[in-house]
Amino acid sequence: MRDRPEHWEVTGSSEEFDGHVFSVRRDSVRMPNGAGTEIVQRDVIEHLGSVGILALDEHDRVLLVRQYRHPVGRLLWEAPAGLRDKAGEPLQRLAERELLEEAGYRADRWDTLVDLFPSSGMSDERTRIFLARELTEVPADQIDFERVHEEADMPVVWVPLAEAVRKVFAGEIHNMIAATGILAAHAAHASGFRDLRPADAPED
């Protein structure tokens, strides 16, 4: 059992919104209806895509950053993450950059933790969450990046993995990348990380 590509007939499409991070199109799709078919409309958010980084240190602690998220009106504890906004940039390179810019760390060991469609009912966004290990902190004066807006005040904390799992189940961590990454890292840790794919594994 595995997910597979499938493309139902689109009889028409129109652009409803064009933004910096995402756009919205309206598709007319031929879909089953009893013994026949019908044309129905589906709004699709076209998203750049993203990566997330679940950083795990030698003490089995995960790195989280706090960031204000205006759409939900909350300060959320999150895993470092970023948009796929540089055409052709390898996903691991993007993840390395985001871990450095948002948290001030480099990692010598990278694995693919999990691949997701975060909102498949409305968006084509793809997210790859990496597991980053063998971490080294980088002095602030060696990081050529200025945090602004939501990123201007992003404290970094280290949370024991088992405690982070409890916080997910307690409803204290809501960010999708953080929650998924924490639970996936916990499961991978139990098997000695032997089932993880390499960092450059293809996205099916």
Side-chain angles (χ1 to χ4, degrees):
M1 183 190 75
R2 63 179 300 166
D3 298 341
R4 63 181 175 85
E6 176 81 3
H7 297 283
W8 291 0
E9 181 187 1
V10 176
T11 63
S13 185
S14 62
E15 183 177 79
E16 302 297 312
F17 172 78
D18 183 25
H20 172 65
V21 175
F22 66 86
S23 300
V24 180
R25 74 172 193 268
R26 179 163 295 164
D27 288 344
S28 298
V29 187
R30 188 180 302 279
M31 293 190 175
N33 180 14
T37 62
E38 65 175 330
I39 304 299
V40 299
Q41 291 189 329
R42 293 291 182 264
D43 291 338
V44 179
I45 299 171
E46 299 176 319
H47 194 281
L48 293 172
S50 56
V51 300
I53 306 97
L54 200 289
L56 187 68
D57 73 3
E58 69 274 18
H59 305 295
D60 289 338
R61 300 179 304 171
V62 299
L63 183 152
L64 298 175
V65 298
R66 191 185 67 191
Q67 189 164 358
Y68 173 67
R69 293 302 187 181
H70 184 69
V72 296
R74 291 178 181 234
L75 285 168
L76 298 181
W77 287 105
E78 305 185 352
L83 295 170
R84 304 182 186 190
D85 54 3
K86 289 189 177 181
E89 183 177 29
L91 297 184
Q92 182 182 339
R93 176 70 190 98
L94 168 57
E96 291 171 349
R97 177 163 54 85
E98 293 296 339
L99 180 61
L100 178 63
E101 292 176 352
E102 292 195 355
Y105 281 83
R106 289 195 177 97
D108 288 333
R109 176 67 186 269
W110 290 87
D111 297 282
T112 294
L113 191 56
V114 65
D115 289 324
L116 302 164
F117 292 111
S119 301
S120 56
M122 67 179 74
S123 175
D124 64 357
E125 179 183 1
R126 298 194 72 147
T127 299
R128 167 161 288 186
I129 303 177
F130 290 95
L131 179 65
R133 291 177 287 169
E134 300 178 13
L135 302 162
T136 303
E137 187 172 8
V138 178
D141 61 3
Q142 296 181 22
I143 301 174
D144 184 21
F145 178 75
E146 181 182 359
R147 297 177 183 172
V148 296
H149 305 139
E150 295 96 336
E151 297 179 344
D153 179 27
M154 290 175 56
V156 174
V157 298
W158 289 96
V159 183
L161 180 58
E163 180 182 346
V165 170
R166 288 193 296 271
K167 288 183 175 296
V168 171
F169 288 137
E172 297 176 7
I173 294 176
H174 297 84
N175 174 259
M176 180 277 299
I177 289 176
T180 303
I182 287 166
L183 298 180
H186 179 68
H189 187 282
S191 64
F193 304 106
R194 65 174 178 269
D195 297 324
L196 295 183
R197 292 167 291 155
D200 60 354
E203 288 184 303
D204 294 332

